[in-house]
Amino acid sequence: MPVSDFSAHLSELAQADQLRTRRLVSSAQDASMVIDGQRVLSFASNDYLGLANHPRVVEATMRALTKYGLGAGASHMVTGHSALHEELEQRLAAYVGMPKALLFGSGYAANLGILTALVGRGDVIFADKLNHACLNDGAQLSRATFKRYPHNDVEKLRTMLAQWRATSKSAARMVIATDAVFSMDGDVAPILELLELAETYNALLVLDDAHGFGILGYRGRGVLEHFNLIGSNAKPANPRIVYMATLGKAAGGYGAFVAGHEDVIDWIMQAARTYLFSTATPPALAAGAIAALDVMAEDHERRRHLRTLIDFFNSSLKLHFAKLPFSQTAIQPIIVGDNATTLDFAEQLRQRHFLVPAIRPPTVPQGTARLRVSLSSAHIADDVFDLITAITDIEVSLMGRPLRGA
């Protein structure tokens, strides 16, 4: 393939207003940041609880750096699995009420490893149409049959499961895979209904709770707590649930983990290539994650404040834009529609010193380009009020009509 082909592809992206660029950050993660040399209020980060620069997290990381150095040196299965990694896995399993947990380098690597370990040729994965790219890629790499059901459509999924079970070999393994909180819409999957289907059709339920972990539930234990599925001595965790969450969002650090039945996690450890053949994350990051878990468990005020901001944002914008989609999470989408208008909207916000990313296809479906507002407990009410004021002002001048919603 000649290099000119890539030049042509880049030109096509630019003409479609889909060319992506990077921003240069020269400050710590916070509500107020210096980005591209400009001080802005950032509504673009997944640091939902403001822990990326929390003193306890930073201090724990620095202490571990002094003891362990920077790199882990090898994969977990060779010499990279430190005492801090082991402690973090045990702490994470206990936190989400699962028998065992396993660390991965990233959420993307985790989902690729999970799905390729659980199923293969002759098996099947049923996945929500709006799942994150890593679940889709993991499904394709697994070589299992890959079927996608309409977003959160439980009845359609029920029909698809019944049809597959009626025509497939009984030995075929089945997985239902879904985002728990959808990263571009902020809505929550119908976990209880999906779990009922998993039990009815003898399937595993893989949950990607990257955007719910730390946020949902009184103690921040994600969708499992939100739907009262946390395991305990009195009520063991449901063995059909394979739970993945990241440490780079609400926990403020980097990495991911999968938790579930001990035999399932042990098998993933033996079979997931993204685990077996990757260098372990730096031990210092594990120390930071342990400290972040402590803060998440103890500091309920952070979640209470975030929920107050979420309610305020929703109720305030609903007064102006009645059709805006509702989200009870930190992710607040404002659907604009076409790419060019969305980019213009984001640029006008930046000129007013607000950073809100413009999300365009292929990240979201065609015709649903949007502003993705990420709220954080690091924001104060005035930050959100000022953003709402700017959004409503720009919308009137830019579009001349109410936003059409989802």
Side-chain angles (χ1 to χ4, degrees), residues 236-395:
N238 191 302
R240 296 197 179 277
I241 295 175
V242 182
Y243 178 84
M244 193 284 293
T246 63
L247 302 172
K249 297 177 175 64
Y254 187 73
F257 70 97
V258 57
H261 187 280
E262 187 170 6
D263 289 345
V264 173
I265 301 305
D266 282 344
W267 173 250
I268 292 172
M269 183 172 67
Q270 298 298 321
R273 294 169 68 86
T274 53
Y275 178 81
L276 291 169
F277 303 114
S278 293
T279 298
T281 55
L285 291 182
I290 292 168
L293 272 181
D294 288 337
V295 177
M296 287 166 55
E298 299 165 7
D299 192 352
H300 305 301
E301 174 60 24
R302 288 179 178 268
R303 276 181 295 278
R304 188 205 64 78
H305 175 61
L306 178 58
R307 289 178 186 132
T308 298
L309 296 180
I310 292 167
D311 292 343
F312 176 52
F313 186 88
N314 272 290
S315 60
S316 298
L317 277 187
K318 286 286 186 182
L319 296 175
H320 300 276
F321 312 127
K323 292 184 179 180
L324 281 181
F326 170 76
S327 167
Q328 61 185 307
T329 68
I331 302 164
Q332 299 291 320
I334 300 176
I335 313 295
V336 177
D338 68 277
N339 296 345
T341 305
T342 306
L343 286 170
D344 196 0
F345 208 138
E347 174 58 22
Q348 292 202 36
L349 283 171
R350 189 199 62 78
Q351 291 174 9
R352 299 188 185 205
H353 300 273
F354 297 99
L355 183 63
V356 179
I359 307 298
R360 295 151 289 157
T363 306
V364 294
Q366 289 289 343
T368 68
R370 67 198 63 190
L371 301 174
R372 182 184 184 270
V373 177
S374 294
L375 300 175
S376 169
S377 61
H379 293 121
I380 61 174
D382 284 350
D383 296 337
V384 179
F385 177 81
D386 291 344
L387 175 64
I388 291 168
T389 301
I391 289 172
T392 54
D393 287 349
I394 295 169
E395 187 273 337

Side-chain angles (χ1 to χ4, degrees), residues 33-80:
M33 298 175 62
V34 178
I35 299 178
D36 292 335
Q38 178 188 30
R39 174 68 64 175
V40 295
L41 270 176
S42 174
F43 291 90
S45 173
N46 294 328
D47 183 25
Y48 302 130
L49 294 179
L51 297 184
N53 197 36
H54 191 284
R56 284 174 62 180
V57 175
V58 172
E59 181 183 357
T61 305
M62 292 178 66
R63 285 200 309 267
L65 275 171
T66 301
K67 179 176 180 179
Y68 288 90
L70 179 58
S75 71
H76 283 278
M77 300 300 276
V78 184
T79 61

